[in-house]
Amino acid sequence: MQGKPRIAIIGAGLGGTAAAALMQRAGFQARLYEQAPGFSRLGAGIHVGPNVMKIMRRIGIEDALNDMGCHPDYWYSRDWETGEVIAQIPLGDYALKHYGASYLTVHRGDFHKLLTDAVAPGTLFFNKKLESVADQGDAVQLRFTDGTVEEADIVIGADGVNSRIRETLLGAEPPKYHGLCGTPRRVPDLARQGLHA
Ligand SMILES: Cc1cc2nc3c(=O)[nH]c(=O)nc-3n(C[C@H](O)[C@H](O)[C@H](O)COP(=O)(O)OP(=O)(O)OC[C@H]3O[C@@H](n4cnc5c(N)ncnc54)[C@H](O)[C@@H]3O)c2cc1C
């Protein structure tokens, strides 16, 4: 491999676009391959914590996110049956002061649009559904369902829950339900116990 490595990212969801934008800002050649023909305003509200906002700061979209998002003062968890508050976590100004960035809620589609716009022009390719990936020693060959073939030095799988890359590396593995979403359990009030900082 001579010069900068050619990095191919498979999947242009929130993960792939963020990875591409960060790597491009760090001076790497990163290209994104997405199976969809394009993106529409999909999804609903998504929470974005201060840790993620600090990454968005590096990408340069923190201010735009702050402008479009809502800034809740608290996170409340309630008992599903009685409505009783079982956890109350301070956010708003508290998050800004203690974590160094805001906590906000935003439409996933708007967030995704900001991230796709942050990817360098001409490096996001639609209608590129990865079919197979093969390590050829000095490069990795990527085959897409439209018959095209690309080469890269490094391949990053950001192709979601049914990842073709993961399947190639680790074998087929259907998603397993771990039972973590179901009967709500009582959790302690972290804010009252002073465990939130
Ligand atoms: C209902 C719900 C609510 C959520 N709420 C939150 C929240 O509040 N806060 C939070 O931080 N997270 C939340 N999440 C989780 C968050 O949405 C996911 O972790 C995140 O979107 C995953 O991003 P990703 O880029 O890894 O995968 P994805 O968004 O799934 O993107 C994968 C991309 O890869 C593409 N792709 C797949 N296969 C191929 C292929 N073979 N070739 C090319 N492209 C391919 C897909 O088309 C897609 O665009 C929520 C998730 C759900 C379902």
Side-chain angles (χ1 to χ4, degrees):
M1 181 172 60
Q2 285 188 338
K4 288 202 169 156
R6 297 161 298 171
I7 301 172
I9 301 170
I10 309 301
L14 296 175
T17 47
L22 285 165
M23 278 187 271
Q24 289 170 348
R25 275 155 188 73
F28 291 100
Q29 290 178 35
R31 288 156 72 92
L32 263 173
Y33 300 96
E34 166 59 45
Q35 65 178 1
F39 291 128
S40 54
R41 195 170 179 255
L42 276 182
I46 185 163
H47 294 251
V48 183
N51 52 339
V52 176
M53 286 299 278
K54 287 181 186 172
I55 297 168
M56 298 307 125
R57 184 177 297 163
R58 293 185 70 173
I59 294 176
I61 61 170
E62 182 186 24
D63 291 346
L65 266 172
N66 268 323
D67 286 347
M68 68 169 52
C70 300
H71 297 80
D73 288 328
Y74 290 94
W75 168 296
Y76 286 105
S77 290
R78 292 179 183 273
D79 186 288
W80 70 282
E81 253 179 330
T82 65
E84 183 199 346
V85 174
I86 51 180
Q88 180 188 0
I89 301 170
L91 303 170
D93 290 342
Y94 182 91
L96 204 52
K97 188 167 160 220
H98 287 266
Y99 308 130
S102 355
Y103 183 104
L104 54 88
T105 55
V106 67
H107 192 289
R108 186 204 165 276
D110 297 338
F111 183 18
H112 191 215
K113 169 96 172 59
L114 280 180
L115 278 170
T116 49
D117 288 350
V119 170
T123 61
L124 167 52
F125 303 93
F126 288 107
N127 284 314
K128 289 287 176 194
K129 180 171 184 176
L130 183 77
E131 190 169 52
S132 65
V133 54
D135 186 349
Q136 302 194 315
D138 56 347
V140 182
Q141 191 181 69
L142 302 163
R143 245 171 224 288
F144 296 92
T145 53
D146 63 356
T148 55
V149 177
E150 300 277 344
E151 271 196 356
D153 300 305
I154 296 170
V155 176
I156 296 175
D159 46 348
V161 70
N162 295 311
S163 169
R164 190 90 187 86
I165 296 285
R166 189 189 56 220
E167 190 182 305
T168 305
L169 290 174
L170 305 171
E173 191 186 2
K176 287 184 217 126
Y177 177 55
H178 282 273
L180 291 179
C181 237
T183 312
R185 281 177 302 168
R186 192 162 288 270
V187 294
D189 184 335
L190 299 178
R192 232 177 276 144
Q193 293 178 14
L195 297 176
H196 46 261

